Amino acid sequence: MATQAKRRRVAGPAGCEDPAPVAGFLSWCRRVGLELSPKVAVSRQGTVAGYGMVARESVQPGELLFAVPRAAVLSQHTCSISGLLERERGALQSQSGWVPLLLALLHELQAPASPWSPYFALWPELGRLEHPMFWPEDERRRLLQGTGVPEAVEKDLASIRSEYYSIVLPFMEAHPDLFSPRARSLELYHQLVALVMAYSFQEPLEEEEDEQEPNSPLMVPAADILNHLANHNAHLEYSPSCLRMVATQPIPKGHEIFNTYGQMANWQLIHMYGFVEPYPDNTDDTADIQMVTVREAALQGTKVEAERLLLYERWDFLCKLEMVGEEGAFVIGREEVLTEEELTTTLKVLCMPAEEFREFKDQDGWGDDKREEDSLTITNIPKLKASWRQLLRDSVLLTLQTYATDLKTEQDLLSNKEVYTRLSWREQQALQVRYGQKMILHQLLELTS
């Protein structure tokens, strides 16, 4: 991709590379048995942002790029206080499930002889992370209003603060020999949460383990050097003895090696990783229509109190079917509706005649066969019933009102290179988030007209 895909790391001046951290890291890799293919190199040169991994020679699909032994992975089970963390596991439980790893990092970072010190040397400067949680609140709201990011960040900040004061700080104060006063800092804890958000890996559960709690996050040296691209060319495989990064596409000599963090919209990328993929490169981008916005749009069409009461009855029934919720959203991609069942059922229930609704409710939502013309694919939207299209259109128009600017304003900024380059980095990233969402919403307006 020609434009910047990722800004996880802060690059130094062009052409200025300090070889010491890389040399120290590679020496550490050899000591711990982390095998890097001779075909790859860790470098700042030829990467989209900061450190990355580049192909020294052409690589074919299926080739092993590197293997990380389980012992070299930094987790609550491999750190030097693993025994204590295991014994205190009950007291360290939290909503995020990240506390044991974060305590491991707080300890290892300030331990003079931590075996992971050469790995830490390649980390970004913690004070220069670009997640929106570190932006001033007024800037975050101004630039990202309507995108869903400010609300997600506010929840994060409240959760981080609560976790720190109720679990993390009491634990550190109970073990002053393991945590220096410097480690007992809410600011540092914030930074490490952002780092774990952006750099950690979560091993997927086996099929038979699906009902269990998710696995705890892991810090995987070498794997977290790779930058992200929706159209990636490598992926991480898990085995009992090691974690293996394998090429999934041919990688020409000199090209950067990209992993993927999953199918993530730009608002999720900026929220969790502090970067976006410029339009139109992120093929996984989405726009949300809040579920309560569809209810609001439907209420606009009611004329008398009886109609309003019936609409709330329909909404309550959708809640009972677990199709909607006060904080949920319908998710629309460029080529598909990711919440097709929920949105189809909602449009159907809110738009069906009163008698049909009574019958549908009596059957608890069963017995109404899904018809082909009710299929909610993007291409099928123009074929939907007129009442469905109108409700969807009204919901999109209400959603567009939540942004501070309209699509034309964004298009003017993006099309004028001189103006765009004068924007701050945050302004550029936020613009890409807003623009991608609005393009999807305007596509829906065209399809429902």
Side-chain angles (χ1 to χ4, degrees):
M1 197 168 80
T3 40
Q4 177 175 316
K6 183 149 185 52
R7 175 115 171 186
R8 279 177 28 194
R9 303 172 188 275
V10 180
C16 170
E17 177 165 359
D18 178 4
V22 175
F25 174 70
L26 295 176
S27 172
W28 176 81
C29 288
R30 289 189 288 273
R31 286 201 305 276
V32 299
L34 196 164
E35 298 172 33
L36 282 144
S37 162
K39 291 188 175 184
V40 304
V42 176
S43 178
R44 282 185 188 269
Q45 309 301 318
T47 64
V48 293
Y51 288 114
M53 196 169 282
V54 176
R56 279 177 162 158
E57 299 172 34
S58 61
V59 175
Q60 295 309 307
E63 278 195 61
L64 179 67
L65 303 171
F66 55 84
V68 186
R70 288 276 178 175
V73 171
L74 176 48
S75 74
Q76 65 204 63
H77 305 296
T78 58
C79 68
S80 55
I81 56 168
S82 58
L84 173 64
L85 294 175
E86 180 58 32
R87 285 194 302 277
E88 299 286 339
R89 187 171 54 175
L92 300 178
Q93 287 183 342
S94 69
Q95 196 175 354
S96 71
W98 293 6
V99 166
L101 174 62
L102 288 159
L103 284 166
L105 296 179
L106 283 164
H107 172 72
E108 296 292 346
L109 265 178
Q110 42 92 60
S114 172
W116 280 278
S117 291
Y119 162 57
F120 297 148
L122 284 198
W123 275 11
E125 288 180 50
L126 293 177
R128 294 180 69 187
L129 295 171
E130 273 292 358
H131 296 64
M133 71 163 69
F134 301 115
W135 301 8
E137 185 182 354
D138 60 339
E139 183 179 23
R140 186 166 63 235
R141 290 210 156 276
R142 177 172 57 84
L143 295 180
L144 292 166
Q145 180 185 321
T147 64
V149 176
E151 294 79 6
V153 168
E154 278 162 28
K155 283 183 185 173
D156 287 346
L157 293 175
S159 171
I160 290 166
R161 190 177 177 81
S162 164
E163 205 170 74
Y164 178 75
Y165 284 113
S166 63
I167 305 171
V168 176
L169 185 58
F171 183 86
M172 290 195 289
E173 287 176 338
H175 303 280
D177 53 322
L178 299 175
F179 299 95
S180 70
R182 195 169 56 86
R184 291 172 234 163
S185 151
L186 177 60
E187 183 185 15
L188 177 59
Y189 190 69
H190 261 144
Q191 292 166 347
L192 288 177
V193 168
L195 193 97
V196 169
M197 223 184 234
Y199 283 75
S200 68
F201 291 78
Q202 199 159 32
E203 189 165 354
L205 293 167
E206 300 292 334
E207 278 185 30
E208 60 271 17
E209 300 173 332
D210 273 352
E211 299 304 311
Q212 292 182 20
E213 288 291 307
N215 284 315
S216 301
L218 312 166
M219 303 304 293
V220 186
D224 58 15
I225 288 171
L226 270 62
N227 288 311
H228 161 95
L229 211 53
N231 183 24
H232 56 287
N233 51 23
H235 76 138
L236 193 64
E237 296 178 353
Y238 297 83
S239 73
S241 61
C242 66
L243 281 65
R244 306 166 75 250
M245 190 67 72
V246 177
T248 57
Q249 293 184 36
I251 307 170
K253 178 181 178 179
H255 281 227
E256 185 168 1
I257 298 160
F258 290 101
N259 186 21
T260 176
Y261 309 146
Q263 293 181 305
M264 304 196 85
N266 268 345
W267 80 265
Q268 294 168 309
L269 288 175
I270 198 165
H271 169 224
M272 295 181 68
Y273 303 98
F275 78 97
V276 301
E277 287 193 65
Y279 188 86
D281 296 336
N282 188 355
T283 51
D284 297 320
D285 210 5
T286 61
D288 287 0
I289 297 174
Q290 296 302 312
M291 290 173 171
V292 292
T293 300
V294 179
R295 183 180 66 193
E296 187 185 340
L299 277 167
Q300 286 179 352
T302 60
K303 296 178 180 66
V304 294
E305 185 63 20
E307 287 179 1
R308 280 191 282 278
L309 291 172
L310 178 58
L311 191 125
Y312 277 112
E313 186 184 342
R314 293 174 192 242
W315 186 261
D316 290 343
F317 182 65
L318 286 166
C319 290
K320 183 186 164 194
L321 292 179
E322 297 185 346
M323 289 294 159
V324 297
E326 293 298 307
E327 292 193 3
F330 300 114
V331 184
I332 319 292
R334 287 197 208 158
E335 295 178 3
E336 61 178 332
V337 178
L338 279 71
T339 50
E340 184 193 350
E341 184 187 1
E342 292 84 352
L343 185 52
T344 302
T345 307
T346 300
L347 293 173
K348 179 191 295 181
V349 169
L350 295 183
C351 294
M352 62 175 48
E355 277 308 308
E356 194 180 331
F357 171 64
R358 296 271 171 247
E359 196 178 316
F360 189 70
K361 189 179 178 184
D362 289 343
Q363 294 174 342
D364 268 343
W366 294 96
D368 187 43
D369 292 333
K370 185 177 175 182
R371 292 173 295 199
E372 183 61 34
E373 63 268 25
D374 292 346
S375 166
L376 212 88
T377 58
I378 294 291
T379 51
N380 215 36
I381 286 173
K383 302 175 196 166
L384 296 176
K385 294 173 184 168
S387 58
W388 292 30
R389 288 202 315 274
Q390 188 60 51
L391 179 54
L392 186 54
R393 182 179 180 80
D394 291 344
S395 304
V396 171
L397 289 167
L398 284 175
T399 301
L400 285 166
Q401 287 174 20
T402 64
Y403 296 93
T405 51
D406 61 12
L407 182 66
K408 185 173 186 315
T409 306
E410 319 288 37
Q411 282 170 332
D412 291 346
L413 283 170
L414 280 166
S415 60
N416 188 327
K417 278 192 176 173
E418 192 182 332
V419 173
Y420 184 76
T421 52
R422 284 206 302 267
L423 296 176
S424 72
W425 184 82
R426 289 175 182 176
E427 286 170 335
Q428 290 178 358
Q429 300 292 289
L431 173 58
Q432 294 287 352
V433 176
R434 300 191 308 263
Y435 184 68
Q437 291 182 351
K438 288 176 192 177
M439 286 296 284
I440 291 170
L441 293 169
H442 276 265
Q443 181 189 18
L444 280 182
L445 280 186
E446 287 176 25
L447 292 168
T448 53
S449 61

